[in-house]
């Protein structure tokens, strides 16, 4: 792997947003953190999509494994999450294609009881960058509020994110409520998040499951 990408990943795992952060085990104060390294990678013309998919996302996956093994606690996950959020802010303008047409209104939300928003934010940013008019409703959004937003904005797409096995069932509630409201046929329901699979997506009657934002763009394009 490119050394700079490796450094970004390591610093994200260590929860170091910038050079003022110490890091967990050793005092790394003064050495570049995630934000400085991401800026450097952009200066070196490393594609922003590579920074996301080869450094930041695998870094968060490792943080998840460390949490599972009991080595990391919630505050450690939060420190890495903050790195991810700051890095996404820096990458956002670079992920936007300037020569794009409006591909339609896309409402996106993390489902009820679920506070994970890093993946949703990345998907929203990349969809926005590729020409969708994205309305982000935030985290822990209940089915009623999602369906209201779809109705109000006359969105053609709704994207649902869930990271917890205990919250994924809320996706079906959204689909059921879209049916009850008589607008199910007017909207493409796209689902994603670590515990979601193609099989689950079909079981709950979603239109499309995507592994990540790039997969979502490809699949949406095929349907258009
Ligand atoms: C960061 C993190 C947190 C942070 C979240 C901060 C934030 N602002 O989001 C904090 C510390 C708050 C947190 C809290 C908790 N967490 Co947490 N968390 C994580 C962690 C480490 C990373 C998630 C992440 O951001 N990944 C990086 C992003 C880029 O990936 P992603 O979210 O999967 O998104 C990608 C795809 O899934 C997809 N995608 C996502 N959404 C969508 C939507 C659409 C429409 C599409 C098309 C695609 C798509 O595209 C994205 C980009 O590639 C995961 C571990 C993991 N490996 O997932 C645990 C994890 C999800 N958390 C877990 C747990 C248990 C919790 C807590 C219950 C812990 C606790 N005891 O309090 C709480 C629950 C809080 C709540 N009610 O939501 C477990 C879930 C276990 C399970 N099976 O349900 C995990 C798997 C950790 C583990 N291995 O045990 N967490």
């Amino acid at each position: 792997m490119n050394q700079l990408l490796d450094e970004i990943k390591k610093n994200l795992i260590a929860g170091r947003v910038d050079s003022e952060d110490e890091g967990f085990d050793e005092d790394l104060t003064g050495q570049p953190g995630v934000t400085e390294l991401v800026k450097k990678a952009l200066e070196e013309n490393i594609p922003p999509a590579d920074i996301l998919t080869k450094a930041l996302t695998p870094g968060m996956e490792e943080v998840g494994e460390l949490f599972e093994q009991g080595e990391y606690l919630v505050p450690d996950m939060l420190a890495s999450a903050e790195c991810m959020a700051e890095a996404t802010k820096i990458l956002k303008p670079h992920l936007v294609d300037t020569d794009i047409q409006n591909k339609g209104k896309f409402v996106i939300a993390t489902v009820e009881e679920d506070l994970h928003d890093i993946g949703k934010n990345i998907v929203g940013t990349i969809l926005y960058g590729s020409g969708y008019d994205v309305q982000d409703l935030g985290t822990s959004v209940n089915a009623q509020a999602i369906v209201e937003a779809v109705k109000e904005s006359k969105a053609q797409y709704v994207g649902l994110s869930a990271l917890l096995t205990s919250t994924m069932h809320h996706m079906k509630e959204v689909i059921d409520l879209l049916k009850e409201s008589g607008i199910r046929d007017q909207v493409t329901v796209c689902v994603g998040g670590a515990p979601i699979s193609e099989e689950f997506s079909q079981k709950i009657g979603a239109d499309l499951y995507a592994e990540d934002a790039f997969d979502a763009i490809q699949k949406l394009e095929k349907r258009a």
Side-chain angles (χ1 to χ4, degrees), residues 57 60-61 63-64 67-68 74 77-78 81 84 108 113-120 122-123 159-161 163-166 190-194 210-213 216:
T57 309
M60 282 314 287
E61 273 163 21
V63 170
F67 177 73
E68 218 166 329
V74 171
M77 280 205 284
L78 269 176
M84 189 82 183
I108 193 163
E113 293 178 292
D114 199 322
L115 299 173
H116 296 84
D117 67 356
I118 297 173
K120 166 189 68 67
I122 291 176
V123 172
L160 304 173
S161 180
L163 262 286
L164 298 171
T165 43
S166 59
C190 177
V191 293
E211 228 172 82
D212 58 31

Side-chain angles (χ1 to χ4, degrees), residues 5-139:
L5 292 180
D6 197 34
E7 280 294 302
I8 294 172
K9 184 178 162 192
K10 275 192 198 149
N11 277 278
L12 176 124
I13 295 168
R16 294 188 67 241
V17 174
D18 57 34
S19 58
E20 284 173 25
D21 286 333
E22 282 178 21
F24 298 136
D25 300 328
E26 40 188 329
D27 185 5
L28 296 172
T29 314
Q31 294 190 33
V34 169
T35 51
E36 290 102 350
L37 292 166
V38 166
K39 284 179 193 158
K40 190 163 177 230
L42 289 170
E43 276 162 26
E44 291 189 9
N45 291 322
I46 297 181
D50 280 5
I51 303 175
L52 254 184
T53 58
K54 296 185 180 165
L56 298 167
T57 309
M60 282 314 287
E61 273 163 21
E62 219 166 299
V63 170
E65 282 158 25
L66 289 165
F67 177 73
E68 218 166 329
Q69 292 155 11
E71 282 194 41
Y72 268 24
L73 300 172
V74 171
D76 304 321
M77 280 205 284
L78 269 176
S80 298
E82 198 193 335
C83 292
M84 189 82 183
E86 292 303 317
T88 313
K89 271 190 218 156
I90 298 169
L91 290 177
K92 189 169 180 175
H94 299 272
L95 290 163
V96 176
D97 187 346
T98 45
D99 189 23
I100 42 173
Q101 76 276 36
N102 190 336
K103 293 183 181 156
K105 189 108 194 171
F106 199 111
V107 165
I108 193 163
T110 301
V111 296
E112 191 172 357
E113 293 178 292
D114 199 322
L115 299 173
H116 296 84
D117 67 356
I118 297 173
K120 166 189 68 67
N121 293 347
I122 291 176
V123 172
T125 300
I126 292 174
L127 287 173
Y128 168 76
S130 76
Y132 291 89
D133 178 7
V134 177
Q135 184 186 355
D136 188 340
L137 304 180
T139 57

